[in-house]
Amino acid sequence: MNLLFDTLTATARPDDLLLERPDGGRDLYRDVLSLTARMAGALVSLGVRPGDRVAVQVEKSPENLYLYLATIRAGAVFLPLNTAYTLAELDYFITDAGPALIVCDPAGEAGVSGLAARIGARVATLDARGAGSLSDLAAGQSPEFATVERSAQDLAAICYTSGTTGRSKGAMLTHGNLTANACTLVSLWRFSAADVLIHALPIYHVHGLFVATNVVMAAGAAMIFRPKFDAAEVLSLLSRATVLMGVPTFYTRLLDQPGLDSAATVSMRLFISGSAPLLAETHREFAARTGLAILERYGMTETGMNTSNPYQGPRIAGTVGLPLPDVSLRISNPDTGGPLPGGEIGVIEVKGPNVFAGYWNMPEKTAAEFRPGGWFITGDLGLIDPAGYVHIVGRGKDLIISGGLNVYPKEVEGEIDALPGVIESAVIGLPHPDLGEGVTAVIATGGSVVLTETAVLAALSDRLARFKQPRKVIFVDDLPRNAMGKVQKALLRDQHSALYRDL
Ligand code: MLC
Ligand code: AMP
C-alpha cells in the first residue's frame, strides 16, 4: 500500500466530484486516478525514482495538484516552492535538496535550467493553465500506474521553512505525518463527502496543500479550485460551498465586502482561519455580520495542525483552541525546558504523529529543536487557560507573518546591510490592517543619507521575493540598543506602531 495516496483516494466513489476547475470544468475522483497515473508515468520516464525529490515552482492549477499526488504515488518526495521566490532564492533550495527533477513555469525555464545543470537534475515545465512539457509527456503515458508502496515512516514531502538564524530548513514530512493529521481533522471538523470547500489558498505551503486538499480528499469531498484569493469572487461562491479555509487576511478582506451577511453564508457550515493570528475584533465582526463564529486553529510547517477551536462548543476569539485529540501540548520554560504551571507563559512544545521527521541534511538543527522524549519546540510563546484553551501570546522567534507568509528579519537585514551607505538595519513587523503585519525596514545610515526608499527597494527586487520586501523604509542615524548592545526591536515597534494605521 501507499499510505498517503491510498488514504486520499479511499473514501470517494469514482463518480464523485473532486474539483471544479477555474474554467468551470469538473474533475471526478476517477479522473484523479488516471491523471495521476499518467503524471506518475511521466515522472518515472524523467528518471524520478522512489525517494527522489521533485522540486516544484509553478502557478496554482489542478495539474499542479495532480503533480503532488503523482509524486506521492511514484514514491517520490514533493518539494513545493513559493512562486514568488527569485532565482537567487531558488538556488539555495535546489542546491540543498538535490532534486532529481525540477518542474517550473515555462517563463522561468532558462534560469532554472542553469541551476539544474549544476546538480544534474532534469527540468520540466507546467504553466498556469496546466500546459507544458510535463503535461505533454504525461499525455502519452498509460492511464494505469503501479502505485509504489510507501509506509508511515517514508518521506512524502520536504517543505522549506526559514530559520531564525542561518538558512532555510527543509522540514521532512512523512506519509504517517500527513495521513494522521488529515484523518484527525476530517473527524474533528466533521468533513464528509457532502462538503464543498472553496480552495483559494496557494498550494506551495502546508495550509493550502495539506490541510485543505488532504482533508477534502480523505473525506471524499469536493472543492471549488480558484487560482488565488479574490474577496468578491469568494463572496459569490459562498452559496455553492460549505467550508472556507483561509488566512486572517481573507477574513478582513471579506468583511470589506458589503454583501457579506447571513444570507450570503447560508449554505456555509464552517469558516476556518489559521497561519497567523486572527484578531479578536475580526472574529467578532464576522460573527456579527454572518452569525457564524470563525474556527481558529494553529499549526506549523513542521507539525501540520496542533490545536483547533472546537467544532461543537465555544470558539473563543483570540485563542487557538484545544490540542488535537492525538497531539500532546505543553508549555515549558524557554531556557530550561522545565514544565510551567497552567496559566503561565512559556514556549509551546508539541508531540504526536503529526510531528515531522527532522530537517533535511541538518541533524544538529533537528536535535536542537527537540527536547528529550520527542517534544518539538515550536518557538511560539503561549499559555493554557483553565478551560484548556491555548493562547498564543507572542513568538520567541524573530518572525514576521505578512498575509500568512513568513518573513525572517535576518534574511532581509542581510540583504539590506550589504547595500552601500547602510551601516546596519533592523527589520520589524508593524500592525497592518490588510496583511496583519507589514514588513518594515529601519535603516541606520549614520546621518549621511544618500539612500532613498526607492533605491533600497530596487536593489532588493531581484534578491528577495516581493512579499519579503519592506512595505516602508525608515531612515535613522543609529539603531536603539540596550545595555547589552542588542538592537531594541520592541522599542522600534512601539515607536512606529501607527505607520500603517490609516491605510
Ligand atoms: C502578495 N503580496 C504580498 C503578500 N502576498 N505582500 C506581503 N505579504 C503577502 N502575503 C504582494 C504581491 O506580490 C503584490 O505585490 C502586493 O503584495 C499586493 O498583492 P495583492 O494582490 O494584494 O495580494 P494577493 O495576491 O491578494 O495576496 C495576498 C494574500 C496571499 C494574503 C491573499 O498572500 C495569500 O494567499 N496568502 C496565504 C499564504 C499562505 O497560504 N500561508 C500559509 C503558510 S502555512 P506588488 O508588487 O504588485 O505590490 C503555515 C502553517 C499554518 O503558516 O498554520 O497554516
Ligand atoms: P510556518 O513556518 O509558515 O509553518 O508558520 C508557522 C507559524 O505560524 C507558527 O509557528 C505560528 O507562529 C504561526 N501561526 C500559525 N497559526 C497561527 C494562529 N492561528 N495564530 C497565531 N499564529 C499562528
Side-chain angles (χ1 to χ4, degrees):
M1 82 174 283
N2 179 302
L3 183 58
L4 181 57
F5 188 75
D6 291 354
T7 305
L8 300 185
T9 48
T11 311
R13 287 175 312 230
D15 287 337
D16 288 344
L17 179 72
L18 169 66
L19 63 82
E20 179 186 292
R21 304 176 71 96
D23 66 4
R26 292 161 70 79
D27 289 4
L28 308 181
Y29 275 87
R30 113 168 48 257
D31 302 321
V32 176
L33 295 180
S34 57
L35 291 168
T36 58
R38 291 182 194 281
M39 193 81 94
L43 295 178
V44 171
S45 76
L46 286 164
V48 173
R49 285 194 294 263
D52 281 349
R53 276 78 58 216
V54 176
V56 176
Q57 191 193 34
V58 303
E59 294 296 333
K60 182 179 178 184
S61 68
E63 285 70 20
N64 181 354
L65 183 67
Y66 300 144
L67 173 56
Y68 152 58
L69 296 169
T71 304
I72 299 301
R73 211 177 160 179
V77 180
F78 193 67
L79 196 170
L81 293 162
N82 191 324
T83 46
Y85 290 148
T86 62
L87 201 57
E89 290 167 308
L90 219 55
D91 192 342
Y92 169 77
F93 300 117
I94 300 298
T95 311
D96 189 56
L101 175 69
I102 308 171
V103 185
C104 66
D105 194 273
E109 191 178 3
V112 168
S113 295
L115 298 181
R118 259 200 355 240
I119 58 155
R122 307 279 291 268
V123 178
T125 61
L126 203 57
D127 70 13
R129 288 170 305 114
S133 66
L134 186 68
S135 295
D136 293 346
L137 193 58
Q141 304 290 318
S142 163
E144 312 268 322
F145 180 83
T147 302
V148 174
E149 300 264 317
R150 293 278 102 172
S151 55
Q153 308 83 288
D154 287 315
L155 283 194
I158 295 180
C159 294
Y160 275 86
T161 165
S162 304
T164 38
T165 53
R167 306 306 302 255
S168 288
K169 299 167 285 185
M172 300 190 287
L173 298 165
T174 64
H175 278 246
N177 295 148
L178 300 179
T179 304
N181 214 224
C183 294
T184 299
L185 297 174
V186 166
S187 102
L188 192 75
W189 293 339
R190 310 274 171 93
F191 266 76
S192 78
D195 276 310
V196 179
L197 173 100
I198 302 176
H199 194 306
L201 286 159
I203 54 170
Y204 46 68
H205 278 312
V206 302
H207 195 167
L209 185 61
F210 302 139
V211 190
T213 62
N214 287 356
V215 167
V216 162
M217 291 188 73
M223 50 192 156
I224 302 176
F225 208 66
R226 306 305 308 166
K228 60 174 290 212
F229 177 77
D230 175 308
E233 186 184 83
V234 166
L235 181 66
S236 75
L237 294 172
L238 292 176
S239 62
R240 298 202 284 121
T242 62
V243 185
L244 175 71
M245 290 186 194
V247 296
T249 301
F250 282 24
Y251 294 103
T252 49
R253 289 188 185 179
L254 278 171
L255 283 168
D256 286 341
Q257 296 288 313
L260 182 82
D261 57 22
S262 55
T265 56
V266 74
S267 77
M268 295 291 291
R269 68 171 183 90
L270 189 56
F271 287 93
I272 302 174
S273 177
S275 306
L278 182 77
L279 293 180
E281 177 192 318
T282 310
H283 192 277
R284 276 193 287 273
E285 264 182 58
F286 201 88
R289 290 269 289 277
T290 65
L292 296 166
I294 298 173
L295 180 153
E296 184 172 8
R297 68 17 167 219
Y298 156 63
M300 277 184 87
T301 300
E302 289 92 332
T303 63
M305 300 303 99
N306 293 312
T307 73
S308 170
N309 270 276
Y311 188 77
Q312 260 183 335
R315 298 179 193 162
I316 301 181
T319 83
V320 293
L322 307 155
L324 301 188
D326 55 355
V327 175
S328 306
L329 185 147
R330 69 181 191 188
I331 307 290
S332 299
N333 179 315
D335 302 320
T336 63
L340 289 175
E344 284 198 23
I345 296 172
V347 67
I348 299 174
E349 299 183 359
V350 294
K351 185 170 151 172
N354 56 321
V355 175
F356 74 134
Y359 296 112
W360 175 258
N361 275 342
M362 291 183 175
E364 297 86 13
K365 286 225 160 92
T366 304
E369 300 203 15
F370 280 90
R371 304 250 192 239
W375 292 90
F376 174 62
I377 308 164
T378 64
D380 291 309
L381 301 178
L383 62 84
I384 303 176
D385 72 16
Y389 282 64
V390 177
H391 300 234
I392 297 181
V393 298
R395 297 178 200 129
K397 48 197 176 189
D398 193 12
L399 161 71
I400 300 169
I401 306 184
S402 166
L405 293 175
N406 288 5
V407 180
Y408 278 88
K410 225 178 182 65
E411 184 184 3
V412 185
E413 288 160 2
E415 295 293 345
I416 295 176
D417 292 350
L419 301 177
V422 173
I423 293 177
E424 59 174 347
S425 62
V427 169
I428 53 175
L430 296 177
H432 189 288
D434 181 43
L435 298 168
E437 289 180 293
V439 177
T440 309
V442 184
I443 300 183
T445 56
S448 63
V449 181
V450 282
L451 274 172
T452 61
E453 180 173 70
T454 318
V456 170
L457 296 181
L460 297 180
S461 67
D462 64 347
R463 303 289 309 159
L464 293 174
R466 174 72 184 101
F467 72 88
K468 298 179 192 169
Q469 294 169 29
R471 299 269 128 183
K472 288 214 160 95
V473 177
I474 299 165
F475 293 101
V476 294
D477 289 351
D478 305 291
L479 294 178
R481 289 180 181 282
N482 65 15
M484 312 286 288
K486 200 165 178 275
V487 175
Q488 291 175 295
K489 287 198 170 176
L491 181 67
L492 288 173
R493 279 193 288 267
D494 285 348
Q495 282 172 347
H496 301 289
S497 63
L499 194 63
Y500 301 107
R501 196 178 50 202
D502 300 325
L503 282 186

